[in-house]
Amino acid sequence: MRTRVQVYVENDVAMAFDHGSAAWSFEVDVWGRCGQGPDEAKALGDLNSQLGKDADLVVAERVRGDERAFHRDHRPATDAERRATLAVLADSRRDVMALVRACPDAVLDWDDPHRALPSYASWRTVRQVAWHIVDTESRYYLPMTGLGYREPAGDLLAELELSAAHVRKAVETMPADLVRTTNGATWTSVKLLRRLAWHERGELAVMRAQARRAAKAPSTSLRRR
């Protein structure tokens, strides 16, 4: 018997594509999973492949445009959603730091000339993606939710540790029903949790793939930028 899974779709958003689609699951066992594509059908297909099960994806809600919030996001965050977020963050930060420590500078700073990014993205190397992760959580997601801005540390590994602690405290202590709208962008406690659970895990996959390609690149292309 096929499993029915409710999904929530954002269209015309700047994420993996300048004007793409994103399909989210809010189920705790796959918390923070998001399928992406240039259109809704491809985003749903990507999410289905991530869920790894024979599922009928049923679109429960759609929004259009950047940084909107679903009605589902306005429910109070549950303890289970907080725990799921913290578990994902702990695992992904451990793996990101291990990867950064394991990579020589030539791999950390290799720029793949064939890598295509959306127009707004400038993080092209493994090191830049790691900085993008902490910049996003500590200097974008949390401030947009009204939970404060923190200045970066000078060293990447120190920043990965300090930012992780800052985010963990915010997740543990924030109100369950936080809602904040600024210049048309709406953030809630649930939206923050799902975005945190999604972002670093996805970027870690990008970093690993980039590091593998860098390790295989001719030595003349492994240059500092």
Side-chain angles (χ1 to χ4, degrees):
M1 182 175 178
R2 292 173 65 87
T3 303
R4 290 171 63 86
V5 178
Q6 286 193 330
V7 297
Y8 298 76
V9 175
E10 298 175 284
N11 288 313
D12 195 23
V13 290
M15 291 174 63
F17 303 88
D18 283 315
H19 297 280
S21 295
W24 295 85
S25 171
F26 281 72
E27 296 187 11
V28 173
D29 62 335
V30 287
W31 184 249
R33 289 296 180 184
C34 173
Q36 296 194 64
D39 54 44
E40 181 174 315
K42 289 185 171 57
L44 290 169
D46 183 36
L47 178 60
N48 210 358
S49 67
Q50 291 184 46
L51 298 182
K53 54 188 175 184
D54 189 21
D56 285 324
L57 302 185
V58 180
V59 178
E61 188 179 349
R62 290 181 176 88
V63 297
R64 178 170 292 275
D66 286 325
E67 296 306 10
R68 303 285 303 282
F70 298 110
H71 289 300
R72 172 65 179 80
D73 284 312
H74 287 264
R75 295 183 190 175
T78 66
D79 289 343
E81 290 165 350
R82 290 190 205 241
R83 289 194 299 269
T85 302
L86 290 170
V88 171
L89 291 176
D91 289 345
S92 57
R93 185 55 47 92
R94 180 194 64 233
D95 292 346
V96 164
M97 294 185 69
L99 179 63
V100 170
R101 288 190 178 104
C103 289
D105 285 346
V107 170
L108 287 174
D109 296 313
W110 181 67
D111 186 344
D112 183 353
H114 303 295
R115 185 181 175 207
L117 288 170
S119 61
Y120 66 88
S122 60
W123 40 92
R124 299 193 55 84
T125 70
V126 172
R127 192 191 305 274
Q128 288 169 350
V129 174
W131 275 107
H132 164 65
I133 289 169
V134 290
D135 286 337
T136 298
E137 64 189 19
S138 278
R139 289 172 283 282
Y140 178 42
Y141 288 175
L142 264 59
M144 289 297 288
T145 320
L147 297 174
Y149 177 101
R150 61 172 296 278
E151 294 292 339
D155 175 75
L156 175 57
L157 287 172
E159 174 63 11
L160 285 164
E161 289 185 347
L162 292 169
S163 186
H166 178 63
V167 171
R168 183 172 60 251
K169 182 178 180 180
V171 168
E172 291 172 342
T173 61
M174 72 177 180
D177 56 353
L178 187 63
V179 179
R180 189 168 188 258
T181 299
T182 305
N183 297 326
T186 300
W187 284 76
T188 72
S189 300
V190 170
K191 179 178 174 179
L192 174 65
L193 294 179
R194 68 172 167 86
R195 290 284 287 268
L196 286 169
W198 158 73
H199 186 249
E200 184 172 18
R201 183 166 50 191
E203 296 293 9
L204 175 60
V206 171
M207 294 169 71
R208 284 171 167 162
Q210 178 92 341
R212 288 193 296 268
R213 291 194 300 273
K216 295 177 181 178
S219 58
T220 53
S221 69
L222 294 176
R223 60 188 184 279
R224 294 292 298 270
R225 291 185 65 86

